[in-house]
Amino acid sequence: MKTLQMTLSNKKNNFIPYIMAGDHEKGLEGLKETIQLLEEAGSSAIEIGVPFSDPVADGPVIEQAGLRALARNVSLSSILETLKTVDTKVPLVIMTYFNPIYQLGIEKFVAALEGTPVKGLIIPDLPKEHEGYIKPFINDKDICLVPLVSLTTPLSRQKELVADAEGFIYAVAINGVTGKENAYSNQLDQHLKALSSLTDVPVLTGFGISNLTDVERFNKVSSGVIVGSKIVRDLHEKKEQEVVTFIKKSN
Ligand SMILES: O=P(O)(O)OC[C@@H](O)[C@@H](O)c1c[nH]c2ccccc12
């Protein structure tokens, strides 16, 4: 079993914060200390966002963070260079649209992951039908391609999506862009339980989570949560202590 899956399987209430690489007043030079802060707070893994000019799945908070990083000329290759110098026990998961990978070159990208703590990839605009662009290059490496599964997806499709999943399954709690804090459907808990019952791979819930009530709710019916916009906003506003407390209470 690959490291990412093993790490998340060994824990009950997993917490994965999302951060945008380069969205720090020191730019990429600040990435190391943010990772260290999140590790010490008790994160199970850390999702590292790559800024992109056309982030179709991102809401305003993450989109703005991406624009700040792009203004500092942060790119996929400069992020990978920086990650080579990062020493952490927590598995990192790169969240990027496909285009930056394609521009860098898929083989070059996968080769550059060697010697970094990156153990997983989330590529929201790479549907299962196109995973052949990436999977053959990572199959024999300690890197997982994490599938995103919408909870309104028909069961037959959910089964296909989780069939050969590795690492974890990203259950998308609301349809739409990231960072929307509207009320979750009452059926969500049932849907999460049903999805978890299809697979031995940990299912983590994300999209729109910004308070501890929701964290506790989803910890009961899945293996943990992914929190993006709240973390990005708090870090930008220099509320590091709030981030640390939130992660500690989520564990
Ligand atoms: O911001 P939220 O609502 O807490 O959602 C997590 C999310 O930000 C992070 O996982 C993410 C950022 N960009 C994405 C694009 C697609 C899927 C997921 C993401």
Side-chain angles (χ1 to χ4, degrees):
M1 195 187 286
K2 296 187 183 182
T3 302
L4 181 60
Q5 189 168 331
M6 194 121 72
T7 307
L8 300 176
S9 301
N10 282 338
K11 223 178 134 185
K12 230 180 124 312
N13 299 332
N14 286 291
F15 189 98
I16 305 188
Y18 165 94
I19 55 173
M20 174 65 75
D23 183 31
H24 184 287
E25 58 184 355
K26 290 191 274 177
L28 280 178
E29 273 185 49
L31 184 58
K32 226 186 234 186
E33 59 192 69
T34 307
I35 291 173
Q36 199 181 347
L37 178 91
L38 298 170
E39 173 171 12
E40 283 169 9
S43 304
S44 308
I46 300 169
E47 195 184 334
I48 310 281
V50 175
F52 181 53
S53 53
D54 189 19
V56 289
D58 289 337
V61 172
I62 292 177
E63 186 177 4
Q64 290 301 318
L67 290 174
R68 290 191 291 269
L70 286 173
R72 297 189 180 99
N73 287 320
V74 171
S75 65
L76 179 56
S77 50
S78 60
I79 294 169
L80 294 171
E81 276 308 308
T82 306
L83 291 179
K84 280 198 181 122
T85 69
V86 170
D87 185 22
T88 171
K89 287 191 202 68
V90 173
L92 306 183
V93 179
I94 295 238
M95 152 39 228
T96 178
Y97 292 91
F98 186 61
N99 189 280
I101 298 180
Y102 187 73
Q103 282 189 20
L104 186 64
I106 296 166
E107 280 178 78
K108 208 171 150 193
F109 168 67
V110 174
L113 297 175
E114 302 263 354
T116 73
V118 174
K119 301 291 176 196
L121 304 173
I122 298 176
I123 311 173
D125 56 351
L126 187 74
K128 170 114 181 136
E129 286 65 29
H130 292 165
E131 68 183 20
Y133 283 112
I134 296 284
K135 274 243 165 137
F137 297 98
I138 59 169
N139 268 339
D140 57 349
K141 300 211 154 60
D142 190 20
I143 294 169
C144 305
L145 182 62
V146 172
L148 289 153
V149 179
S150 154
L151 292 163
T152 50
T153 298
L155 192 64
S156 55
R157 174 69 175 166
Q158 290 191 4
K159 280 187 182 155
E160 273 170 36
L161 293 176
V162 306
D164 55 356
E166 280 182 332
F168 69 95
I169 289 152
Y170 191 136
V172 179
I174 40 172
N175 296 331
V177 293
T178 64
K180 262 202 207 153
E181 294 175 24
N182 44 12
Y184 293 108
S185 118
N186 289 329
Q187 287 154 12
L188 203 57
D189 310 66
Q190 268 315 107
H191 286 162
L192 281 164
K193 278 193 210 164
L195 176 59
S196 297
S197 74
L198 297 177
T199 171
D200 293 333
V201 179
V203 171
L204 273 75
T205 312
F207 269 59
I209 303 173
S210 65
N211 61 62
L212 291 168
T213 311
D214 288 335
V215 172
E216 278 163 31
R217 173 177 172 181
F218 296 132
N219 274 341
K220 283 197 191 108
V221 286
S222 65
S223 299
V225 297
I226 302 143
V227 179
S229 301
K230 181 201 156 47
I231 301 280
V232 169
R233 187 189 300 120
D234 285 349
L235 289 175
H236 182 57
E237 293 173 0
K238 297 199 167 40
K239 295 183 188 154
E240 281 88 0
Q241 199 45 54
E242 158 68 18
V243 170
V244 170
T245 308
F246 192 83
I247 298 177
K248 286 198 168 142
K249 287 191 175 160
S250 298
N251 269 262

